[in-house]
Amino acid sequence: MHFWIYLDFHYRDLELPMKARVTVTLKNGVLDPQGKAIEGALGALGFAGVGSVRQGKVFDIEVEGTDAAKAKTELEAMAAKLLANTVIENYRVEIVD
Amino acid sequence: MKSAVVVFPGSNRERDMVAAIEKITGHRPVTVWHGDHDLPKVDLIVIPGGFSYGDYLRSGAIAAREPIMGAIAREAERGVAVLGVCNGFQILCEAGLLPGVLMRNAGLKFICKEVELRVETTASQFTRGYAKGAVIRSPVAHGDGNYRTDDETLARLKGEDRVAFRYVDNPNGSVDDIAGILSEKRNILGMMPHPENLIEPLNGGTDGKPLFEAALSAVA
């Protein structure tokens, strides 16, 4: 005896948003007083051998759709227009999964 | 003479600015909300100090991308005078209407005190009421007042006589002691110190008054 099970689902329901990560870092040569303070605090905690600390930002962003290339272009625009100030900062966009 | 003071969520110096302008002109400036897409026809637009959007992301970053900024850019392009003080200066830089950026103070501390400024150029409608080289007093109150720009832009600012004010004793690490700069067309001034807080003797002095008198009479 055979049972046929009909699965009625929409492909869309299984689609998870893509996860992206935008990393914003200070350009070389830009003074980073906060990084310097952290560097000092690490030394005070007894961590020897810390050369230098530069503080940056990480943005984890979920984007809809499945087209990674398109999402990446869009995220690059987000980074350039808002997430980073390109006068002093660089950014890197990755699609994480 | 008409003026407008633009208010963002988190602005907190707009009342001082309105009071200063009203005292000098006898007319109350219009206050404009950040979500508006248009400005009334005015001769001076002021972006006051404060902590728009709680300084989230970067000081002035969110405010700089608000609808009203498009209107301010259009008016500035037509030659209307725009003054940004403190957070207003940060917003103008973030919006790209002035070059450079204001970073965390070199000493990492919020600085709230009176400083001395040197008037570096009188060739603008904001500074023509001072003598070149004059030293004036003005309060500062900021955590992110450390002006930074690349060498090329700095050379241009200097070459084009666009540094309006320098700190006599640099409190925040700003490159070349810069406290305020002018736009290419000289109708936009951004500065960290608060001239609106020194316009009557009861506040301890009137060194900020010539700036407003000059800016507000330019088109009277």
Side-chain angles (χ1 to χ4, degrees):
Chain A
M1 203 168 165
H2 298 279
F3 290 99
W4 289 96
I5 301 167
Y6 291 95
L7 289 174
D8 182 23
F9 68 89
H10 295 280
Y11 188 66
R12 208 177 47 225
D13 295 340
L14 293 178
E15 236 175 62
L16 294 168
M18 278 182 285
K19 291 199 167 96
R21 174 162 284 186
V22 180
T23 310
V24 175
T25 50
L26 279 176
K27 286 183 178 172
N28 283 338
V30 174
L31 181 78
D32 179 14
Q34 294 177 103
K36 277 265 171 261
I38 295 164
E39 195 181 306
L42 287 174
L45 281 171
F47 291 103
V50 176
S52 78
V53 178
R54 308 276 287 162
Q55 182 178 310
K57 296 187 185 105
V58 167
F59 302 88
D60 285 329
I61 302 178
E62 290 190 351
V63 279
E64 286 173 2
T66 50
D67 186 342
K70 189 175 151 227
K72 204 165 174 195
T73 310
E74 191 87 334
L75 286 154
E76 299 263 354
M78 292 179 205
K81 275 188 95 169
L82 178 65
L83 304 180
N85 181 328
T86 53
V87 176
I88 46 161
E89 294 168 327
N90 291 321
Y91 57 84
R92 192 175 70 238
V93 174
E94 306 157 86
I95 304 292
V96 189
D97 66 12
Chain B
M1 178 70 223
K2 285 184 180 160
S3 55
V5 175
V6 185
V7 183
F8 295 90
S11 296
N12 66 8
R13 296 293 190 115
E14 74 275 14
R15 284 167 61 173
D16 298 21
M17 194 59 82
V18 166
I21 293 172
E22 190 172 8
K23 185 170 169 65
I24 287 162
T25 61
H27 301 289
R28 201 173 169 76
V30 195
T31 45
V32 181
W33 188 234
H34 67 108
D36 292 354
H37 289 77
D38 293 297
L39 279 159
K41 284 277 167 278
V42 293
D43 310 293
L44 172 70
I45 301 163
V46 184
I47 310 181
F51 298 86
S52 59
Y53 292 92
D55 282 349
Y56 292 174
L57 189 61
R58 297 176 303 273
S59 296
I62 311 280
R65 285 140 183 100
E66 287 268 58
I68 196 65
M69 292 309 295
I72 293 175
R74 283 196 299 278
E75 293 303 298
E77 188 58 35
R78 290 200 311 120
V80 172
V82 179
L83 169 67
V85 169
C86 199
N87 191 218
F89 185 14
Q90 295 163 341
I91 293 169
L92 288 170
C93 286
E94 276 285 345
L97 292 173
L98 288 174
V101 60
L102 291 138
M103 296 187 68
R104 184 61 45 90
N105 291 342
L108 291 171
K109 289 199 171 72
F110 189 95
I111 303 165
C112 186
K113 65 173 186 182
E114 190 178 279
V115 299
E116 285 185 330
L117 304 176
R118 192 178 309 107
V119 180
E120 298 289 1
T121 179
T122 54
S124 80
Q125 67 189 81
F126 303 100
T127 55
R128 66 204 171 103
Y130 296 106
K132 190 176 164 76
V135 172
I136 62 167
R137 296 158 51 215
S138 183
V140 293
H142 59 247
D144 297 330
N146 184 351
Y147 183 75
R148 295 274 137 189
T149 189
D150 57 68
D151 295 344
E152 195 184 319
T153 310
L154 181 62
R156 259 189 69 199
L157 286 174
K158 293 204 281 194
E160 293 170 3
D161 189 30
R162 286 165 56 190
V163 177
F165 300 102
R166 280 196 174 88
Y167 299 108
V168 172
D169 184 12
N170 192 341
N172 54 27
S174 288
V175 66
D176 206 31
D177 302 333
I178 287 174
I181 55 166
L182 293 159
S183 63
E184 206 171 339
K185 287 165 77 179
R186 312 186 82 76
N187 63 321
I188 307 176
L189 168 67
M191 62 190 293
M192 287 312 295
H194 290 273
E196 76 276 18
N197 289 141
L198 268 190
I199 56 134
E200 55 182 324
L202 269 178
N203 292 137
T206 56
D207 284 2
K209 213 172 167 186
L211 188 150
F212 289 97
E213 283 172 345
L216 291 160
S217 67
V219 275

